[in-house]
């Protein structure tokens, strides 16, 4: 029987960061993608945020390039103002009906000049600014929107509400883009799979009333605070009270508003992100306004992500953010001046009262009504909390075959995990549609590149306002005038956002119309935006390397006041112009791809990644140092939702062993590695066997971690003090001390969240709660205690915490400075701890003490890091390329990470990350060749004397010494040669060479010398 026909296109619902990540990974892997967005532009909730943590990157600055890339990608079609109304068919061949609402503005004609909005007489609340500001009835969602096209709100427009009235926008539109007769469109699309990434909505605290939201103007939500803090917000980044415009000097954050509260909001789950964003907002607010006082009122601080605990400790010690453990149940006015009063009971049991200028409600996340309707249309199951139901071993797979989910629709989660799941969903789809990969791919073609060799420099300088990020500090008009007088500059212009789609089109037109042959962008950091502007030059027919960026934001407006910022901006632009005059056209390095993968680590993450790659048709070498597959999962029994881990692991092992595309190497380790993206050679060593070298195009590091061995609480000295993993095995074997025990004490954070290991191991709280529930279920008369610092049962794991309390498990909070004391008297174990409720010391008689120990990095990954030249963080885990937007990539191209080797995480997140690594790897393996950056070292054969000092300092082993025959009787001449595929253009060789025998293309001595001379003018 023939296999049903499959379609090589995918429909993704949701244009937020999760949907965009899935779209880009699929499009780059050879699939055609329809990206459906309900609003007028893609970007999602992340576009509303001011900055991200822990890196404090500008949210829009890291999001905008991804949005523009989606908008430009030939294999992605964006349908905004659109919703799915019908889904028929089966996996591999769905028929989807999409209704596109009228925009009333012709996107083909609209030039986004803004004249229509300026003249529109109707003003309404701006939902993008969380109703903190106003917008017109004709509007663009935000300044960097993709597509940057205006739309008319039919519910606000005077003309559409009453035909024959108003119509001013139509009269003033110079492009003739206004179309009041516009009607919706219906699209019938054939796709092989669907990914649902529709996002979330913030909880609305107004109906509850108790927090004063909607009643007192100075009580705002966390999303509203993001808009106040943003340079593009209603107050241009100045935190002013809504009631009177007074600067805020004292601010309070109330946690768990709309989460962990079934009585007042019906949401019993934890929204996972609120604690961390409250800390971030408090820190940023204090950075904006030195001297401000900030307090966070919380029940448990759930900072369980990578670097989150470190960020919290920094907020406490360096930024002086005050943390108060309590539950504030109400807000009331202090007086008629707008001040607010909070009443609460502190940890000492005292009644406290404080006054604040502003109170911020840290609101939780929930599934919107229209998304619940989408789930009904798609025919997928939802959980009791209205999130998409998935399995821990298939975390992006819904209840309906061929339909996948990712991001906050399957449960509340932070940005890195949303990005991971976007890639994971792409991998899951690709595993199903591999036979039709590439059938609908379109290859981008650029304008013919214009040769500028021999031309006199014609430089264009483009100065970015960056909203008010730059223009509030730097006098951009003065900078524009100054730049116009610099040598070689023939054109200067200012843009509100240089990275917006509209400005990209303006840049392209200016380059062509003005005959520019060099470009300087005075804006933000090239770290995030240089690839975007290079693409713009290519689109204009100019070599992408005839570009220079002057970072007048990160290195200037963000760190200097207005007295010096404009002067420094002039210096930076002058230096950039001096350098770009000497820029030359360069060509990227073409590298063939070996379409084969290597996965190091045979645990759950490694096996998942290997299977997904193999299911897509790529051969994989799977390396495991032990004699069996399974890794740390072999020590576990159940996931948080109750899935039996041994059974699922056994199935994974069988699938790996049976797959014809997977070459399994057990009892094997990596002894040597060399090469570069697309062309790696790894030597595998096994005891008693000859070393074997495998060639591969990509590598995935999934080497796991191990359990910390405690040195406190009497471990290994008192018989019945055991680790959580040891207890799980004893419990399973019905060991006599467990079976007969009547009193059990769990101690959390053993080896975690303290000096030298300032991170949360993420799984311990849930694991202890599960074990406690099992003990109580077996014998309700047992006394079970959990001694904790913060209970981190995030997301829907919160229901386990609630169940444990209902069953009688006793939770006692302790602080780091007051750790529990464990001692043995005779055969009796005694645990001494300070009870935070009774406010006195408590002594517990225990039959067994269970230590929830830290997950620590495996020391052996140091060798792998050296072999593949990949970085480690301060805790010994692999360091990803970017905490938010590249969570499974390394800075070393072609190598990816997944599972515990990157950071402690539960099974479902390890599997998601493994799939994500596979998706990122597939974007390379699906190609025959890739193009690498042309910024490479270049040998000057006239001055190089072959001293080989550069070989010693090259961290990428990209230089070798060669001999050139000088003819009969002459000594061979020694020179160095560069492997362009390995070279990263770091410049160490150039800085070391005493003979100026090596330059880095794009950073030649002539260019650097010109910059230095310009700096000294």
């Amino acid at each position: 029987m023939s296999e049903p026909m499959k379609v090589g296109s995918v429909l993704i619902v949701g244009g937020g960061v999760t949907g965009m990540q899935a779209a880009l990974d699929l499009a780059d892997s050879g699939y055609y993608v329809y990206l459906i967005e309900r609003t007028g532009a893609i970007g999602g909730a992340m576009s509303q945020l001011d900055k991200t943590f822990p890196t404090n990157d500008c949210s829009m600055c890291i999001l905008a390039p991804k949005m523009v890339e989606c908008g430009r990608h030939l294999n992605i079609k964006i349908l905004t103002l659109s919703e799915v109304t019908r889904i028929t068919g089966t996996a591999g061949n769905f028929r989807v009906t999409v209704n596109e609402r009228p925009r009333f503005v012709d996107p083909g004609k609209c030039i986004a000049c803004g004249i229509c909005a300026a003249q529109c007489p109707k003003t309404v609340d701006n939902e993008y600014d969380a109703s903190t500001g106003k917008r017109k009835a004709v509007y663009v969602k935000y300044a960097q929107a993709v597509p940057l096209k205006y739309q008319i709100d039919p519910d606000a427009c005077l003309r559409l509400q009453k035909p024959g009235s108003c119509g001013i926008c139509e009269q003033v539109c110079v492009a003739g883009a206004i179309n009041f007769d516009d009607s919706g469109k219906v699209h019938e699309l054939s796709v092989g799979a669907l990914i649902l990434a529709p996002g979330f909505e913030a909880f609305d605290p107004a109906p509850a009333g108790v927090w004063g939201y909607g009643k007192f103007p100075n009580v705002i939500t966390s999303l509203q605070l993001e808009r106040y803090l943003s340079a593009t917000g209603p107050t241009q980044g100045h935190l002013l009270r809504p009631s009177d415009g007074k600067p805020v000097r004292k601010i309070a954050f109330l946690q768990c508003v709309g989460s962990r509260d079934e009585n007042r909001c019906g949401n019993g789950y934890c929204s996972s992100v609120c604690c961390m964003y409250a800390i971030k907002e408090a820190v940023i607010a204090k950075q904006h306004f030195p001297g401000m006082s900030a307090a966070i009122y919380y029940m448990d601080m759930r900072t369980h992500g990578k670097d989150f605990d470190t960020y919290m400790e920094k907020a406490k010690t360096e930024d002086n953010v005050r943390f108060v453990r309590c539950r504030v149940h109400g807000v009331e006015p202090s007086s008629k001046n707008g001040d607010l009063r909070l009443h609460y009971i502190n940890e000492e049991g005292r009644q406290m009262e404080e006054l604040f200028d502003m109170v911020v409600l840290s609101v939780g996340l929930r599934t919107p009504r229209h998304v619940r309707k989408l789930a009904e249309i798609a025919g997928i199951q939802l959980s009791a909390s209205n999130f998409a139901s998935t399995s821990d071993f298939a975390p992006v797979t819904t209840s309906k075959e061929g339909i996948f989910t990712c991001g906050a629709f399957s449960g509340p989660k932070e940005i890195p995990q949303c990005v991971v799941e976007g890639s994971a969903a792409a991998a899951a789809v690709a595993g199903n549609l591999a036979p039709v990969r590439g059938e609908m791919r379109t290859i981008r073609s650029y304008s013919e590149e214009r040769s500028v060799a021999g031309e006199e420099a014609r430089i264009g300088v483009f100065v970015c306002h960056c909203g008010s990020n730059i223009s509030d500090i730097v006098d951009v008009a003065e900078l524009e005038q100054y730049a116009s007088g610099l040598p070689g500059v023939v054109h200067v212009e200012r843009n509100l956002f240089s990275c917006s789609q509209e400005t990209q089109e303006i840049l392209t037109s200016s380059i062509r119309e003005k005959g520019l042959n060099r470009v300087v962008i005075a804006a933000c950091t090239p770290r995030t935006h240089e690839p975007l502007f290079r693409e713009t030059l290519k689109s204009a027919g100019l070599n992408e390397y005839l570009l220079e960026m002057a970072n007048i934001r990160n290195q200037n407006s963000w760190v200097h006041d207005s007295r010096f910022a404009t002067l420094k901006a002039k210096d930076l632009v002058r230096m950039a112009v001096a350098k770009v005059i000497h820029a030359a056209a360069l060509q990227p390095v073409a590298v063939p791809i070996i379409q084969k993968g290597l996965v190091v680590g045979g645990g759950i993450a490694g096996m998942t990644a290997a299977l997904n790659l193999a299911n897509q048709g790529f051969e994989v070498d799977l390396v495991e140092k032990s004699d069996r597959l399974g890794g740390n999962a072999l020590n576990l029994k159940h996931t948080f939702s109750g899935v039996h881990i041994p059974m699922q692991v056994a199935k994974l092992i069988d699938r790996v062993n049976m797959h014809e595309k997977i070459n399994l190497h057990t009892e094997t380790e990596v002894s040597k590695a060399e090469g570069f993206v697309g062309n790696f050679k790894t030597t595998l060593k096994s005891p008693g066997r000859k070393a074997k070298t495998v060639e591969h195009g990509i590598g995935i590091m999934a080497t796991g971690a191990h359990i910390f061995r405690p040195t406190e609480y009497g471990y290994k000295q008192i018989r019945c003090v055991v680790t959580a993993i040891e207890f799980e095995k004893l419990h399973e074997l019905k060991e006599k001390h467990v079976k007969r025990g009547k009193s059990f004490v769990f101690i959390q954070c053993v080896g975690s969240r303290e000096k030298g290991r300032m991170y949360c191991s993420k799984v311990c709280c849930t694991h202890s709660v599960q074990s406690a529930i099992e003990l109580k279920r077996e014998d309700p008369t047992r006394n079970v205690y959990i001694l904790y610092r913060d209970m981190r049962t995030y997301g829907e794991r919160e229901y386990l915490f609630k169940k444990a309390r209902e069953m009688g498990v006793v939770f006692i909070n302790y602080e780091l400075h007051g750790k529990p004391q464990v001692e043995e008297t005779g055969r009796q174990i005694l645990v001494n701890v300070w009870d935070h409720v009774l406010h006195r010391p408590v002594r517990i008689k225990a039959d067994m003490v269970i230590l929830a120990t830290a997950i620590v990095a495996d020391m052996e990954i140091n060798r792998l890091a050296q072999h593949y030249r990949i970085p480690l963080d301060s805790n010994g885990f692999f360091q990803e390329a970017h905490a938010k937007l590249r969570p499974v990539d390394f800075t070393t191209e072609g190598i990816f990470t997944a599972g515990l080797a990157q950071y402690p995480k539960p099974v479902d997140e390890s599997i998601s990350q493994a799939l994500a690594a596979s998706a990122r790897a597939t974007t390379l393996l699906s190609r025959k060749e890739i193009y690498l950056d042309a910024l490479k070292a270049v040998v000057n054969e006239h001055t190089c004397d072959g001293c080989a000092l550069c070989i010693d300092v090259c961290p990428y082993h990209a230089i070798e010494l060669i001999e050139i025959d000088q003819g009969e009787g002459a000594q061979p001449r020694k020179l160095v040669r560069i492997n362009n595929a390995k070279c990263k253009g770091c410049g160490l060789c150039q800085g070391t060479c005493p003979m100026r025998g090596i330059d880095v293309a794009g950073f030649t001595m002539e260019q650097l010398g010109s910059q230095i001379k310009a700096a000294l003018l």
Side-chain angles (χ1 to χ4, degrees), residues 741-760:
K742 289 294 183 180
S743 180
F744 297 83
V745 176
F746 292 81
I747 301 178
Q748 302 303 109
C749 296
V750 178
S752 291
R753 301 182 61 203
E754 58 187 29
K755 188 175 181 180
R757 225 172 278 110
M758 189 53 71
Y759 61 87
C760 169

Side-chain angles (χ1 to χ4, degrees), residues 29 31 426-432 434-435 437 610-618 659 661 915 918-919 922 926:
S29 298
Y31 300 94
V429 166
N432 288 355
R437 180 178 61 239
L611 279 167
N612 186 264
L613 288 172
N615 287 339
Q616 294 187 60
F618 302 112
H659 207 296
K661 290 283 186 179
L915 290 171
S918 177
T922 304
S926 60

Side-chain angles (χ1 to χ4, degrees), residues 34-64:
Y34 299 98
L35 186 58
I36 310 299
E37 170 55 38
R38 187 169 180 266
T39 66
I42 60 175
M46 188 174 169
S47 68
Q48 296 174 273
L49 306 184
D50 177 40
K51 288 185 172 67
T52 65
F53 57 85
T55 55
N56 269 14
D57 285 319
C58 169
S59 294
M60 275 307 305
C61 287
I62 61 176
L63 187 60

Side-chain angles (χ1 to χ4, degrees), residues 589-661:
V589 179
V591 174
I593 294 285
I594 299 171
Q595 293 179 309
K596 183 178 177 182
L598 172 76
V599 178
V600 183
I604 283 180
M607 288 191 291
T608 300
L611 279 167
N612 186 264
L613 288 172
N615 287 339
Q616 294 187 60
F618 302 112
E619 189 176 345
V620 182
D621 285 289
L622 177 58
V623 179
E624 168 55 40
K625 68 179 180 180
S626 70
D627 61 354
R628 61 185 300 200
L629 297 172
N632 285 296
L634 297 173
N635 300 315
L636 303 177
K637 188 176 180 182
H638 290 105
T639 66
F640 92 92
S641 63
V643 176
H644 190 251
I645 294 175
M647 182 183 298
Q648 295 297 327
V649 170
K651 290 180 180 179
L652 271 177
I653 293 172
D654 286 344
R655 289 169 60 198
V656 167
N657 285 326
M658 294 173 62
H659 207 296
E660 61 180 10
K661 290 283 186 179

Side-chain angles (χ1 to χ4, degrees), residues 27-104:
D28 288 341
S29 298
Y31 300 94
Y32 193 84
V33 177
Y34 299 98
L35 186 58
I36 310 299
E37 170 55 38
R38 187 169 180 266
T39 66
I42 60 175
M46 188 174 169
S47 68
Q48 296 174 273
L49 306 184
D50 177 40
K51 288 185 172 67
T52 65
F53 57 85
T55 55
N56 269 14
D57 285 319
C58 169
S59 294
M60 275 307 305
C61 287
I62 61 176
L63 187 60
K66 189 179 291 286
M67 291 162 49
V68 174
E69 188 179 355
C70 279
R72 285 179 165 182
H73 208 298
L74 294 183
N75 294 306
I76 300 176
K77 181 175 179 59
I78 299 173
L79 294 174
T80 56
L81 294 172
S82 300
E83 293 184 86
V84 171
T85 58
R86 189 165 180 259
I87 301 172
T88 59
T90 57
N93 196 346
F94 289 103
R95 189 74 174 171
V96 183
T97 303
V98 177
N99 280 9
E100 182 181 358
R101 301 190 303 279
R103 185 178 286 267
F104 302 106

Side-chain angles (χ1 to χ4, degrees), residues 957-995:
H957 308 295
I959 310 176
E960 63 177 339
L961 189 65
I962 62 171
E963 292 185 348
I964 297 178
D965 187 7
Q966 297 279 70
E968 188 175 347
Q971 288 289 327
R973 184 187 172 196
K974 293 183 178 180
L975 285 174
V976 294
R977 184 168 59 190
I978 309 296
N979 183 325
N980 283 336
K982 288 185 177 182
C983 177
K984 301 297 181 185
C986 69
L988 283 174
C989 54
Q990 184 179 17
T992 302
C993 181
M995 303 299 294

